[in-house]
């Protein structure tokens, strides 16, 4: 793509720009309306989560994990408590494992619905935005009836779950699962099948398979570039090896595939949840763990397939009630490094759409 020589314009986008998905700022260098360079500027939301973890007990840090990728808070709980359980050698009950799968996949669906909605909204698709948010409310209702909260759910504990879903949860879940095919059909009709959306997203912001692998990209962004990699299959955790599901892969490598692959993943999440509901056993939801958590001296790294990519926790224990070192591997922080590369040569309106397809949540990026 040729760029005509003209006087360079440096434009500040963010940190309060409506399309920044949080307190993200990028300095955009322009030749006319064409991007010549982007300088991502992060850190406006920095809360020092890793240092907070080191000054809290293992159990006290669980609610803080909700504030990382706050659009999929059960997944952050899950990754953290599983890391501590791995360090302690704790085995949780079968029922707790199935409940974690159900809430984890509901969180994946809710996260993808927000991604689809916000991508539409960034391109002024107000109507398309409302459909996905309407449906996500039903998941938030299920969160609320079980844990009492709708966003930062804080539902998992070291050793199991904080609460047993009430009786009304199960019919609400069945109704949601039954209605999902119609929801996805509506998303396609109003957004993905819309020629404006296709024109704004197709063949825009190409992330090649080779570049995605070299940059350590993970999650749906990686799979939209033709790489069949999912932690749930590559390194199964919890009881994912018991479920029959596919890993959606697309080869368009563009903004359209990075968005529509979330629809494919919602279909697979529904399959997993239906199997979990069918097979879930009775029993306790908490293992017998000490009231005061003191893991043995040692270190551990554990990773999960967060809706946005690989989320990992590295914990070093010195045998006390608080970890001596915590490091978090956030998916969207790693994925953001692709933005200056793939946006170069596109127009300024394209970079808004490209950034939206990365599904960045700045609570996780800045942590």
């Amino acid at each position: 793509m040729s760029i005509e020589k003209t006087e360079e314009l440096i434009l500040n986008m963010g940190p309060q720009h409506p399309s920044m998905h949080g307190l993200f700022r990028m300095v955009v260098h322009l030749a006319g309306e064409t991007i010549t360079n982007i300088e991502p500027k992060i850190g406006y939301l920095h809360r020092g989560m890793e240092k907070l973890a080191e000054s809290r007990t293992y159990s006290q840090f669980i609610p803080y994990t909700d504030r990382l990728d706050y659009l999929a808070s059960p997944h952050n709980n899950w990754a953290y408590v599983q890391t501590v359980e791995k360090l302690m050698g704790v085995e949780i009950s079968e029922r707790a494992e199935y409940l974690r799968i159900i809430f984890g996949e509901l969180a994946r669906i809710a996260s993808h619905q927000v991604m689809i909605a916000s991508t539409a909204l960034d391109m002024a698709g107000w109507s398309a935005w409302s459909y996905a948010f309407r449906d996500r409310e039903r998941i938030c209702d299920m969160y609320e009836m079980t844990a009492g909260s709708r966003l930062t759910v804080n539902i998992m504990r070291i050793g199991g779950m904080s609460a047993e879903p009430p009786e009304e949860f199960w019919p609400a879940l069945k109704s949601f699962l039954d209605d999902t095919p119609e929801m996805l059909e509506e998303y396609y009709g109003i957004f993905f099948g819309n020629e404006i959306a296709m024109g704004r997203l197709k063949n825009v912001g190409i992330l090649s398979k080779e570049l995605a692998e070299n940059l350590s990209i993970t999650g749906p962004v990686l799979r939209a570039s033709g790489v069949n990699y999912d932690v749930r299959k590559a390194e199964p955790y919890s009881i994912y090896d018991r479920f029959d599901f596919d890993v959606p892969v697309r080869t368009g490598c563009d903004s359209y595939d990075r968005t529509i692959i979330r629809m494919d993943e919602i279909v697979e999440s529904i399959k997993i949840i239906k199997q979990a509901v069918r097979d879930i056993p009775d029993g306790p939801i908490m293992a017998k763990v000490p009231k005061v958590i003191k893991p043995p001296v040692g270190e551990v790294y554990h990773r999960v397939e967060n809706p946005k990519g690989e989320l990992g926790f590295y914990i070093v224990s010195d045998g006390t009630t608080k970890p001596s070192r915590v490091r978090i591997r956030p998916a969207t922080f790693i994925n953001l490094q692709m933005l200056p590369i793939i946006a170069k040569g596109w127009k300024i309106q394209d970079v808004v759409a490209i950034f939206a397809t990365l599904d960045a949540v700045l609570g996780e990026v800045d942590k």
Side-chain angles (χ1 to χ4, degrees):
M1 189 177 294
S2 62
I3 300 174
E4 293 182 9
K5 288 187 177 180
T6 182
E7 183 179 347
E8 183 183 60
L9 174 66
I10 300 176
L11 182 68
N12 217 18
M13 291 186 68
Q16 304 296 348
H17 191 281
S19 293
M20 289 297 101
H21 297 228
L23 297 180
F24 178 66
R25 171 182 170 229
M26 57 183 172
V27 178
V28 183
H29 295 251
L30 298 165
E33 292 187 5
T34 303
I35 308 290
T36 57
N37 189 31
I38 289 178
E39 301 170 46
K41 304 289 184 181
I42 62 174
Y44 291 92
L45 200 60
H46 183 55
R47 293 163 293 174
M49 283 291 191
E50 293 161 333
K51 286 302 174 187
L52 283 169
E54 294 164 17
S55 62
R56 303 292 187 274
T57 67
Y58 287 91
S59 296
Q60 284 175 338
F61 185 62
I62 297 173
Y64 288 85
T65 63
D66 289 88
R67 276 79 180 168
L68 294 167
D69 176 7
Y70 40 78
L71 298 178
S73 60
H75 259 282
N76 303 287
N77 292 168
W78 198 2
Y80 173 70
V81 298
Q82 274 203 317
T83 308
V84 179
E85 288 163 358
K86 194 173 181 180
L87 189 59
M88 297 175 66
V90 171
E91 289 190 15
I92 73 169
S93 71
E94 285 283 295
R95 185 169 182 82
E97 289 281 24
Y98 278 91
L99 286 174
R100 284 181 175 184
I101 291 284
I102 290 170
F103 278 93
E105 292 306 316
L106 283 175
R108 193 181 310 279
I109 295 168
S111 176
H112 289 345
Q113 286 172 325
V114 173
M115 186 274 174
I116 293 166
S118 57
T119 302
L121 187 62
D122 284 350
M123 296 186 296
W126 288 92
S127 296
W129 166 84
S130 65
Y131 278 68
F133 261 84
R134 173 203 64 188
D135 299 332
R136 174 178 171 268
E137 282 298 297
R138 296 172 66 175
I139 295 178
C140 293
D141 289 342
M142 287 184 270
Y143 287 162
E144 187 175 23
M145 65 178 68
T146 306
S149 53
R150 301 176 65 84
L151 183 68
T152 49
V153 184
N154 189 27
I155 199 169
M156 300 189 191
R157 297 291 181 270
I158 298 167
M161 300 287 290
S162 66
E164 177 74 51
E167 288 185 13
E168 60 267 27
F169 173 87
W170 301 105
L173 178 59
K174 183 182 185 303
S175 173
F176 178 80
L177 298 178
D178 291 343
D179 292 344
T180 305
E182 185 179 345
M183 295 176 195
L184 298 179
E185 192 175 323
E186 287 181 326
Y187 300 166
Y188 187 84
I190 197 166
F191 180 49
F192 291 103
N194 185 298
E195 63 178 303
I196 298 174
M198 289 193 283
R200 292 286 305 275
L201 297 173
K202 281 198 170 185
N203 300 314
V204 174
I206 303 298
L207 174 67
S208 69
K209 179 179 178 180
E210 293 72 25
L211 180 59
E213 291 175 330
N214 290 339
L215 292 177
S216 300
I217 305 299
T218 57
V221 175
L222 175 69
R223 295 188 284 273
S225 291
V227 181
N228 188 344
Y229 176 79
D230 187 309
V231 179
R232 293 173 296 174
K233 291 282 192 181
E235 194 176 297
Y237 55 94
S238 185
I239 53 172
Y240 271 113
D241 55 354
R242 302 183 190 179
F243 296 95
D244 176 27
F245 68 99
D246 298 317
V247 176
V249 176
R250 287 185 173 254
T251 56
C253 306
D254 59 9
S255 296
Y256 188 81
D257 274 9
R258 284 194 294 274
T259 310
I260 200 170
I261 197 170
R262 321 286 169 147
M263 297 260 283
D264 304 334
E265 297 211 346
I266 290 173
V267 171
E268 297 306 313
S269 292
I270 294 297
K271 284 168 58 177
I272 294 170
I273 296 171
K274 284 183 176 179
Q275 293 171 68
V277 172
R278 181 195 66 200
D279 298 336
I280 187 170
D282 294 328
I285 60 170
M286 274 294 294
K288 290 183 180 180
V289 295
K291 287 187 177 180
V292 178
I293 304 293
K294 283 186 178 181
V297 175
E299 59 183 349
V300 65
Y301 178 75
H302 179 67
R303 57 184 182 158
V304 304
E305 185 67 33
N306 182 274
K308 299 175 177 57
E310 182 181 315
L311 171 64
F313 280 86
Y314 171 69
I315 299 177
V316 179
S317 169
D318 57 5
T320 66
T321 58
K322 300 175 183 178
S324 65
R325 192 73 179 96
V326 174
R327 286 287 291 167
I328 303 169
R329 192 256 190 225
T332 48
F333 173 74
I334 306 295
N335 290 357
L336 262 181
Q337 64 183 314
M338 63 186 269
L339 181 63
I341 302 171
I342 67 170
K344 191 175 292 186
W346 293 99
K347 303 297 183 184
I348 190 166
Q349 64 267 29
D350 296 321
V351 77
V352 174
I354 292 169
F355 178 68
T357 66
L358 303 189
D359 196 18
V361 168
L362 270 292
E364 183 182 72
V365 171
D366 287 346
K367 60 183 191 303

